[in-house]
Amino acid sequence: ATKQSAGRFELMLYGIQVHLKTNYLPLETQFFDTPVTRATVQRSDKKNDTMSFELREDATPTVTQKKGKDGFNYVFVTFPK
C-alpha cells in the first residue's frame, strides 16, 4: 500500500524481514539531483515496515518488485528525474 501527501511518499511493506539493521539508517540525498531529500525505513510493528521518502518537489514514483537469484525479494522505488 502507498500513501502520498505534500512533500512525502510512503510505501507500506507487509510481512517482511529487513536483512541488515543498517538498512534502518536514513539515506540522505539532499545534495543529489533527485526529488528525494531523505529516505528511511521504519518498523511499523513486528512484521511490517514503512519506507518513507521526504520530497523536495511533488513526484510520483514507480514501485516494482523482483526476486533475486539469492532468494531475496527486492523492492525498487524509482522517482522521475
Side-chain angles (χ1 to χ4, degrees), residues 17 65-68 70-76:
Q17 180 179 1
Q65 181 178 348
K66 186 174 182 180
K67 187 168 189 165
D70 56 7
F72 289 104
N73 287 304
Y74 293 89
V75 176
F76 300 92

Side-chain angles (χ1 to χ4, degrees), residues 29-80:
T29 60
Q30 71 264 20
F31 299 111
F32 297 96
D33 185 19
T34 173
V36 179
T37 58
R38 186 174 205 231
T40 58
V41 177
Q42 300 156 338
R43 176 67 74 200
S44 300
D45 56 43
K46 192 172 183 177
K47 290 196 172 191
N48 303 316
D49 285 359
T50 301
M51 293 177 71
S52 298
F53 301 89
E54 295 175 20
L55 307 173
R56 73 177 88 235
E57 59 193 47
D58 286 337
T60 302
T62 302
V63 180
T64 56
Q65 181 178 348
K66 186 174 182 180
K67 187 168 189 165
K69 292 179 182 179
D70 56 7
F72 289 104
N73 287 304
Y74 293 89
V75 176
F76 300 92
V77 182
T78 307
F79 285 86

